[in-house]
């Protein structure tokens, strides 16, 4: 997608500089556009932990590149099978909630275990990371194609009035490699000439809505309005929201969705106002091992993110000295509040049977 009219993805390599991975430093957006080089597994861990890269699909891809980068270190190669386990554990611990991260590493492990030596394992790890990057791009693009008819249908009802879509956090291309999850249908609809407008929740505490979603929609020329996190319910009561679209960091086998803190309240308000609430996610964000989303580890983040607000000029304290803060990063929206899951394989009900049916269709194809 575009920044200043130029096409970018969030993570890429350059064949002329082997062993280097490039990312956009999302902690600097929207104020500065900085490209950062990752040259070691440590760099990848830091980028994920400090949220230079964030969003479920992107941290999975970055973790895979982290393992590929680890093979460039002499100390790692010396006893690479043992070192691999340590690096997997460190990467997995860097952010616990999104299943993509652990999923990418667990899926990579057997490929590496079959390698005869470090050279073969290094090639395998690079190939795996590149393939994962490509597959996340095509999954996100397909999510857009499957979600598009939902917006088209609402556009007909609206009779050329813009379709009003509310989104929470950043589930756009910056959270993925390209296209995004929740925003992919928005981009496809816009490119198909459907008039639309996006209500962007600012998404405290880190303001991914204000800083990233507003930024990427603006760069694509899509009409949007930033709102504070508490405004959504009111706008829904006023008939100003036609559709709620969010991403999901981890979806349980029965269709509960774990996403940025505050998503649950949007889903409750949407249900109370009979507004469709869809979660858009690739299958890499579905955790088939987890039936009950209550068991998903919820990342508890620093209280500094609540006690301070960060902007272009740095951090400003907004709470009295001595007041403690609690900062759970994600919440769970029960499947019963989710109108459907938009995936790369199609849209399904947020149920175990719905998810299985899409998997069976894929296997049969
Ligand atoms: O803490 P973040 O910025 O990594 O949280 C991201 C989200 O909650 C997104 O909505 C989620 O990853 C789904 S996006 C593709």
């Amino acid at each position: 997608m575009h920044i200043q009219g130029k096409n970018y993805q969030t993570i890429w390599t350059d064949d002329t500089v082997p062993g280097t991975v490039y990312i956009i430093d999302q902690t600097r957006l929207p104020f500065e556009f900085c490209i950062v080089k990752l040259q070691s597994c440590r760099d990848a861990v830091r980028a994920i932990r400090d949220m230079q890269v964030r969003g479920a699909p992107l941290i999975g891809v970055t973790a895979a590149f982290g393992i590929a980068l680890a093979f460039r270190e002499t100390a790692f190669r010396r006893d690479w099978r043992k070192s691999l386990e340590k690096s997997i554990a460190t990467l997995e611990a860097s952010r616990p909630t999104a299943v993509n991260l652990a999923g990418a590493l667990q899926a990579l492990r057997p490929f590496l275990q079959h390698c005869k030596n470090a050279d073969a394992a290094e090639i395998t790890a690079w190939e795996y990371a590149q393939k994962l990057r490509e597959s996340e791009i095509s999954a996100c693009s397909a999510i857009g194609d499957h979600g598009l008819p939902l917006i088209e249908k609402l556009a007909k009802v609206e009779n050329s009035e813009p379709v009003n879509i509310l989104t929470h956090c950043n589930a756009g291309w910056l959270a993925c490699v390209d296209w995004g999850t929740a925003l992919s249908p928005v981009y496809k609809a816009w490119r198909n000439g459907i008039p639309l407008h996006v209500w962007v929740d600012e998404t405290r505490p880190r303001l991914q809505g204000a800083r990233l979603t507003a930024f990427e929609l603006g760069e694509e020329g899509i009409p949007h309005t930033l709102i504070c996190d508490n405004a959504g319910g009111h706008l829904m009561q006023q008939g100003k929201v036609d559709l709620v679209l969010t991403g999901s960091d981890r979806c349980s086998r029965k269709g509960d969705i774990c996403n940025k803190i505050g998503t649950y309240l949007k889903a409750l308000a949407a249900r109370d106002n009979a507004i469709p609430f869809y979660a858009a996610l690739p299958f890499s964000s579905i955790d088939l091992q987890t039936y009950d989303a209550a068991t998903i580890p919820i990342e508890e983040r620093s209280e500094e993110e609540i006690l301070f607000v960060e902007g272009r000029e740095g951090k400003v304290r907004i709470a009295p000295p001595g007041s403690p803060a609690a900062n759970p990063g994600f919440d769970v929206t029960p499947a019963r509040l989710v109108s459907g899951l938009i995936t790369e394989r199609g849209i399904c009900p947020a149920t175990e049977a719905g998810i299985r049916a899409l998997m069976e269709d894929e296997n049969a194809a």
Side-chain angles (χ1 to χ4, degrees), residues 26 48 51 53-59 95 97-98 100 140 143 167-177 180-183 203 206-209 212 246-250 258-261 263 280-282 285 299 301 305 329-330:
Q26 299 192 24
I48 296 169
M51 293 179 66
V53 289
R54 25 69 51 201
L58 178 55
I59 59 176
R95 289 205 74 193
T97 300
N100 303 58
C140 285
I143 286 171
T167 193
H168 190 67
C169 195
N170 173 259
W173 72 274
L174 289 168
C176 306
V177 182
T181 54
L183 293 190
T203 319
R206 286 185 70 98
L207 299 166
Q208 289 97 325
L212 304 175
T246 72
S248 174
D249 291 82
R250 192 188 294 225
C258 184
N259 194 49
K260 180 56 54 192
I261 194 83
T263 303
L281 63 152
S285 299
E299 181 178 2
R301 299 191 53 85
E305 292 180 356
F330 299 90

Side-chain angles (χ1 to χ4, degrees), residues 97 245-260 263-264 267 277-281 285-286 291 293 296 298 330-342 350 355:
T97 300
L245 279 179
T246 72
S248 174
D249 291 82
R250 192 188 294 225
C251 173
S252 76
R253 198 162 79 230
K254 68 178 167 80
D256 300 328
I257 62 141
C258 184
N259 194 49
K260 180 56 54 192
T263 303
Y264 171 48
F277 175 101
Y278 281 85
L281 63 152
S285 299
I286 299 179
Y291 182 74
I296 294 174
I298 300 290
F330 299 90
D331 63 22
V332 172
T333 299
R336 67 189 149 76
L337 298 177
V338 181
S339 310
L341 306 174
I342 309 172
I355 293 169

Side-chain angles (χ1 to χ4, degrees), residues 51 57 108 137 143 146 182 192 207 233 235 324 327 332:
M51 293 179 66
L108 169 60
I137 297 171
I143 286 171
H146 290 298
N192 275 269
L207 299 166
L235 294 171
N327 190 8
V332 172

Side-chain angles (χ1 to χ4, degrees), residues 103-348:
L105 297 170
Q106 297 305 334
L108 169 60
R109 182 189 275 119
F111 291 114
L112 297 182
Q113 279 167 343
H114 287 109
C115 293
K116 286 205 171 75
N117 54 40
D119 286 345
E122 180 172 9
I123 293 168
T124 302
W126 280 104
E127 283 174 355
Y128 174 88
Q130 297 284 16
K131 272 196 196 137
L132 182 63
R133 198 188 89 90
E134 294 306 317
S135 79
E136 289 296 2
I137 297 171
S138 44
C140 285
S141 174
I143 286 171
D145 295 335
H146 290 298
L148 171 62
L150 283 177
I151 302 179
E152 276 173 339
K153 216 163 122 197
L154 289 164
K156 284 190 191 123
V157 176
E158 295 297 316
N159 276 331
S160 89
E161 286 298 302
V163 180
N164 282 294
I165 299 166
L166 184 140
T167 193
H168 190 67
C169 195
N170 173 259
W173 72 274
L174 289 168
C176 306
V177 182
D178 212 344
W179 288 107
T181 54
L183 293 190
S184 184
V186 170
Y187 290 131
K188 300 263 175 166
W190 185 248
R191 290 183 182 191
N192 275 269
I194 297 175
L196 48 83
H197 164 262
V198 183
W199 296 109
V200 179
D201 283 352
E202 60 178 348
T203 319
R204 274 287 281 153
R206 286 185 70 98
L207 299 166
Q208 289 97 325
R211 296 183 61 153
L212 304 175
T213 301
F215 172 74
E216 56 167 273
L217 290 173
E219 294 291 322
E220 291 293 322
I222 296 184
H224 61 280
T225 306
L226 190 59
I227 51 174
C228 76
D229 287 332
N230 300 325
H234 169 71
L235 294 171
M236 290 182 207
Q237 286 176 325
Q238 301 245 307
K240 292 180 177 166
V241 179
D242 302 307
L243 171 68
V244 181
L245 279 179
T246 72
S248 174
D249 291 82
R250 192 188 294 225
C251 173
S252 76
R253 198 162 79 230
K254 68 178 167 80
D256 300 328
I257 62 141
C258 184
N259 194 49
K260 180 56 54 192
I261 194 83
T263 303
Y264 171 48
L265 291 177
K266 295 302 167 307
L268 281 173
R271 175 56 54 94
D272 194 43
N273 290 279
I275 293 165
F277 175 101
Y278 281 85
L281 63 152
F283 261 73
S284 56
S285 299
I286 299 179
D287 178 2
L288 294 171
Q289 312 300 320
T290 297
Y291 182 74
D292 184 352
T295 61
I296 294 174
I298 300 290
E299 181 178 2
E300 187 68 35
R301 299 191 53 85
S302 159
E303 61 171 22
E304 293 236 325
E305 292 180 356
I306 307 282
L307 301 173
F308 293 79
V309 170
E310 194 184 347
R312 180 193 285 270
E313 315 305 336
K315 280 184 180 178
V316 180
R317 190 176 180 102
I318 53 164
S323 288
N327 190 8
F330 299 90
D331 63 22
V332 172
T333 299
R336 67 189 149 76
L337 298 177
V338 181
S339 310
L341 306 174
I342 309 172
T343 78
E344 68 272 38
R345 299 176 192 182
I347 300 185
C348 70

